[in-house]
Amino acid sequence: MGVQTIDATPVTRPSRWRSLVLGLTSSITILAVLGYWIDWRAALQVLRRVDAWRLVVPALVTLAGWPLRPWRWREIFPVATRPSFRAAFSALTVGTMANNVLPGRGGDLLRVVLVAPRGGAVRASLALGTLAVEKILDGLALLAVLLVARLVLDVPAWFAHFALGATLLFGAAIVFVALLRWQRDRLLSICSAVLRRLHLPRLADIVVRVGGQFADGLTALRTAPQWFGVSALTVVIWGLEAVQVWLLAAAWHIPLPLAAAAVVTAVIGLGMSVPAGPSSLGAYELSGVGGLMLFGVPSADALALTLGLHMWMLLNTTIAGAFGFAVGGLRAETVLHAGDAAPADA
């Protein structure tokens, strides 16, 4: 097999720094608000009381979940361009690990770049389309949990507004993706006409070319069994995430029912979509504290458990990423080059 290359256009250094500064500003602002609102010393005392032996079971649950996301991502690809499980696992875990250091979840773009040359016929724009399907599936699963909680719980106003905002956001994304999936030619024609009227013919050509390739990533799920399969995997993935939160709460001696852990997981998952610094720092803490306090967890305990959950996520994604780096046969310069370049077709 010949060496495959990535057609890439360098990302400018000012753009990279601007993204980092905006993300860190957002994170620092949120953490400052939490620091003013919650006693950090009390939270750190709670954080120290973890029962280390109780971390064994959530570690096993975490390990069991490692292959599920690459498996689901691979199933979303069209059969003819589907990457191997090894390639999908390596790209996803390395990209997720990169989110720990890149602002704005830049690791998601990195995994699209990494899987494209390793998947043979896979193009980066097609991989980006499958990523959109994945994110929408995740969003719908988490929204379902929030909407059920909204109906059965007496929730504060912020939770209702949060659920409404998330519904509108994902609703708009679903409408756009649906139009691109079933009305691709018409939608791209309208976009092209608008851009040409604005005297942007080159951008219009790019939108038509890339939009068509992106739409290809939305066409893999054609049958009911395929939709059922990836939907079932989505439920299992987030079910295991909720179980982890439940078990980790027990490790910190914080009583939290499994149903409540599912709601907290949904709030954190959707809260991490807010633009923030590396590892969603700040956004993760704010979402976790807010979700836990819905169920009467004291603010210091809520912050301590959220910090523990965040550290657990960082450790998990780092170990998984290192393993994916090794089994994928990647080299450091390959990943660094991919991180400094955006593929031309994405």
Side-chain angles (χ1 to χ4, degrees), residues 233-293:
L233 280 171
T234 301
V235 172
V236 174
I237 286 168
W238 287 105
L240 288 179
E241 293 283 348
V243 169
Q244 287 182 59
V245 172
W246 177 55
L247 292 171
L248 290 170
W252 267 277
H253 306 284
I254 297 175
L256 188 70
L258 182 57
V263 176
V264 173
T265 301
V267 173
I268 292 175
L270 291 171
M272 288 176 66
S273 63
V274 176
S279 186
S280 296
L281 184 64
Y284 191 106
E285 281 68 27
L286 182 62
S287 302
V289 169
L292 287 166
M293 291 183 67

Side-chain angles (χ1 to χ4, degrees), residues 7-49:
D7 181 12
T9 301
V11 178
T12 62
R13 191 173 299 274
S15 174
R16 192 187 318 160
W17 279 107
R18 188 182 307 116
S19 176
L20 179 61
V21 170
L22 289 175
L24 288 176
T25 300
S26 173
S27 297
I28 293 172
T29 301
I30 295 173
L31 291 175
V33 171
L34 287 175
Y36 177 79
W37 180 35
I38 300 175
D39 186 350
W40 281 80
R41 293 181 180 178
L44 292 177
Q45 290 178 352
V46 175
L47 192 62
R48 295 191 189 100
R49 73 185 188 198

Side-chain angles (χ1 to χ4, degrees), residues 58-206:
L60 295 176
V61 173
T62 299
L63 187 62
W66 275 13
L68 296 182
R69 288 184 183 273
W71 179 16
R72 181 187 62 169
W73 187 32
R74 182 175 178 272
E75 291 299 313
I76 297 174
F77 279 91
V79 176
T81 59
R82 186 170 290 169
S84 66
F85 176 81
R86 177 181 175 182
F89 179 87
S90 176
L92 188 145
T93 53
V94 172
T96 303
M97 178 176 64
N99 280 329
N100 296 338
V101 295
L102 296 177
R105 299 192 64 82
D108 289 341
L109 178 59
L110 175 62
R111 69 154 143 146
V112 166
V113 177
L114 290 176
V115 81
R118 299 178 66 79
V122 177
R123 291 183 63 83
S125 53
L126 186 148
L128 200 60
T130 63
L131 184 62
V133 174
E134 176 192 286
K135 297 300 182 183
I136 288 175
L137 287 170
D138 286 339
L140 289 176
L142 299 179
L143 276 177
V145 175
L146 290 191
L147 293 178
V148 170
R150 177 72 177 86
L151 293 175
V152 301
L153 298 176
D154 182 17
V155 296
W158 74 262
F159 184 86
H161 295 155
F162 180 80
L164 176 61
T167 301
L168 293 175
L169 175 65
F170 279 94
I174 291 170
V175 169
F176 176 80
V177 168
L179 289 173
L180 190 59
R181 169 65 177 83
W182 284 284
Q183 298 291 331
R184 174 175 65 180
D185 293 340
R186 180 175 299 180
L187 179 61
L188 294 179
S189 177
I190 293 174
C191 293
S192 176
V194 171
L195 291 172
R196 292 183 187 281
R197 187 173 292 274
L198 295 174
H199 305 290
L200 299 170
R202 183 180 178 186
L203 181 58
D205 293 338
I206 293 174

